[in-house]
Amino acid sequence: MQAVVLAAGKGERLWPLTENRPKPMVPVANQPILEHIVDALVSAGVTRVMLVVGSNRERVQRHFEDGSRWGIEISYVVQDRQLGTGHALAQAESVVGESFVALNGDRVIDASLVEDVWECHRESGDSAMGVTQVETPSAYGVVDLDGGTVTDIDEQPVPELVASEYINAGVYAFGPSVFAAIRRTDSYGELALTDALDEQLADHELRAVRYDGRWLDVSEPWDLVAANSALITDRRFDPPVERRKPRGSVPGDDQQAPVGGGTVCGEGVIVHPQAVVRNGVALGDNVTVGANAVIEQSILLPDSTVNPGAVVNDSIVGANATIGPNTTVEGGQTDVVLGDTVHQGVRFGALVGDNAEVGAGVTVAPGSIVGNSAVVDSATVVTGRVDDQAHVTRG
Ligand SMILES: CC(=O)N[C@H]1[C@@H](OP(=O)(O)OP(=O)(O)OC[C@H]2O[C@@H](n3ccc(=O)[nH]c3=O)[C@H](O)[C@@H]2O)O[C@H](CO)[C@@H](O)[C@@H]1O
């Protein structure tokens, strides 16, 4: 079985993390998003994967190389400009040949979804689409179903008018004829893969494969936090590195550091014996956590430091960033305002960018996003968005 993964999107909603790494390489549970997807494909029996990547693809290629580490063949197709999911898939035409599975590169799914969609296509000869139920269908492509077929896909549903609970799960199986359908699609701006499926909808030739397994969106910062803790606490998850015990930092002391259940640790992590780290936390390589710090439901990227007495909840701390002593990055339910959009009632603390330095005794309000290399002076309050390299001072 072969698979095309659409992973060229810019991931602007994960700013500032995506300035220093392409979105597929943003880590969740200490493993790049895209690697979770590749793992699912391998489990489903896929032997050949074509990754559609953007122009900032070097890091993806360096990580996955030719796929031999996963026992499969991985190759790369470049989409220079992000002109939509249909356009992204079209880039793979010359390398695909026969029937294949296609999937979005920004949802963490189970292997069974890929297996079932593929099986449906093989048996029927028709295109197949995975459909699933989510809490907020209007955030996705809402699908209408007639038994086992998809009869409509609405990419811009009006929340109050959504009647179906099912959405397009972004996992498909197609024959090569899908490329001709993409070419026939009128597009103004973006070329959406779902628009290219219109003819098949009309002819009742798009099969729906219902799925109720893991489907984790990783589009927004709070999605990363939720996906991170869901994966870590899922007993099926096999962490990329063994669940290493972090070292306590007291010299000559070999007592076990107090890292509770639901935690994954990279290499070289140091957690002070009097710190508390528990409940869905990923500590990247060389993370340091000081005495009496409390960290829950958070992602700490490699080389970051949480100093003594700091509290970090529901948050993401960027690579090589520093959280000062007694600083609080508190989580919980909050409304996050990003640009013109208000995201109501999301569970989120803050996203602190790579190399940012947050001083001592700072209060970082829930929903804040601090840019890369920003400097926040001690005893200040941070709310909302802080630009890259900005300096937040008192008064
Ligand atoms: C038009 C379309 O497909 N809509 C589907 C897409 O919406 P959604 O809006 O989520 O689609 P995204 O824009 O996130 O793109 C999906 C994937 O395609 C990649 N990408 C996107 C644009 C591009 O030019 N190049 C590229 O490679 C992205 O990196 C991402 O991995 O997924 C949802 C579920 O996950 C579905 O419910 C929607 O029906």
Side-chain angles (χ1 to χ4, degrees):
M1 194 194 321
Q2 53 175 0
V4 178
V5 184
L6 310 181
K10 284 217 169 65
E12 274 156 6
R13 288 180 282 177
L14 294 184
W15 179 87
L17 294 176
T18 42
E19 277 186 8
N20 290 338
R21 51 187 79 68
K23 179 175 174 186
M25 296 307 290
V26 171
V28 175
N30 277 2
Q31 180 176 303
I33 292 169
L34 190 51
E35 194 174 337
H36 291 286
I37 295 166
V38 167
D39 284 349
L41 293 174
V42 171
S43 303
V46 170
T47 52
R48 184 164 181 247
V49 174
M50 286 139 280
L51 299 178
V52 181
V53 286
S55 46
N56 56 352
R57 63 189 180 276
E58 293 77 18
R59 226 163 137 165
V60 178
Q61 279 182 274
R62 238 185 296 135
H63 186 80
F64 291 99
E65 297 178 324
D66 63 357
S68 45
R69 198 146 51 94
W70 287 265
I72 57 168
E73 180 197 326
I74 296 184
S75 58
Y76 303 87
V77 178
V78 179
Q79 185 195 27
D80 279 322
R81 292 172 60 209
Q82 278 61 72
L83 296 175
T85 45
H87 181 265
L89 184 60
Q91 309 309 303
E93 178 170 10
S94 62
V95 290
V96 168
E98 57 207 54
S99 284
F100 62 97
V101 168
L103 64 165
N104 290 348
D106 56 358
R107 316 279 174 235
V108 179
I109 50 149
D110 287 334
S112 66
L113 174 56
V114 175
E115 290 163 6
D116 293 351
V117 167
W118 177 246
E119 214 38 52
C120 174
H121 170 67
R122 256 176 25 120
E123 279 171 13
S124 65
D126 290 337
S127 296
M129 170 192 277
V131 300
T132 194
Q133 288 170 299
V134 290
E135 265 174 39
T136 49
S138 59
Y140 304 97
V142 173
V143 295
D144 287 339
L145 304 177
D146 179 4
T149 58
V150 181
T151 54
D152 189 41
I153 310 170
D154 188 354
E155 287 294 336
Q156 266 149 8
V158 180
E160 299 76 40
L161 302 181
V162 170
S164 169
E165 289 175 339
Y166 280 97
I167 61 148
N168 165 15
V171 177
Y172 319 82
F174 297 122
S177 63
V178 72
F179 294 112
I182 293 174
R183 275 195 296 277
R184 283 195 297 272
T185 310
D186 291 330
S187 77
Y188 308 94
E190 287 221 339
L191 205 179
L193 177 54
T194 41
D195 285 345
L197 301 177
D198 271 354
E199 286 172 25
Q200 297 176 7
L201 294 177
D203 296 341
H204 274 66
E205 283 171 356
L206 180 62
R207 306 265 171 165
V209 177
R210 288 176 174 79
Y211 170 71
D212 62 5
R214 176 161 70 194
W215 193 85
L216 302 173
D217 192 349
V218 279
S219 299
E220 310 277 0
W222 46 92
D223 295 332
L224 288 182
V225 173
N228 184 65
S229 81
L231 278 165
I232 291 174
T233 48
D234 185 338
R235 279 184 295 111
R236 291 170 304 171
F237 176 60
D238 186 16
V241 286
E242 61 184 278
R243 284 171 199 259
R244 292 187 175 86
K245 294 268 185 289
R247 287 183 289 133
S249 64
V250 180
D253 181 325
D254 64 352
Q255 68 174 293
Q256 205 176 312
V259 171
T263 304
V264 286
C265 275
E267 289 180 68
V269 169
I270 297 179
V271 176
H272 191 281
Q274 275 144 25
V276 177
V277 179
R278 63 178 177 212
N279 203 6
V281 176
L283 304 176
D285 291 347
N286 306 315
V287 162
T288 304
V289 181
N292 303 315
V294 179
I295 305 178
E296 291 190 72
Q297 303 250 35
S298 292
I299 301 174
L300 273 64
L301 296 191
D303 306 307
S304 58
T305 303
V306 174
N307 278 292
V311 174
V312 177
N313 279 333
D314 299 328
S315 293
I316 303 165
V317 178
N320 197 39
T322 307
I323 303 296
N326 303 316
T327 281
T328 304
V329 190
E330 198 58 80
Q333 298 280 114
T334 184
D335 293 345
V336 184
V337 184
L338 292 181
D340 298 337
T341 316
V342 182
H343 301 267
Q344 283 175 329
V346 294
R347 191 181 169 90
F348 185 50
L351 164 52
V352 176
D354 298 334
N355 305 308
E357 285 175 39
V358 179
V362 173
T363 301
V364 181
S368 301
I369 304 211
V370 178
N372 294 326
S373 303
V375 175
V376 178
D377 281 354
S378 295
T380 50
V381 176
V382 173
T383 49
R385 176 182 154 132
V386 175
D387 287 340
D388 286 344
Q389 279 141 23
H391 188 170
V392 179
T393 55
R394 280 168 76 185

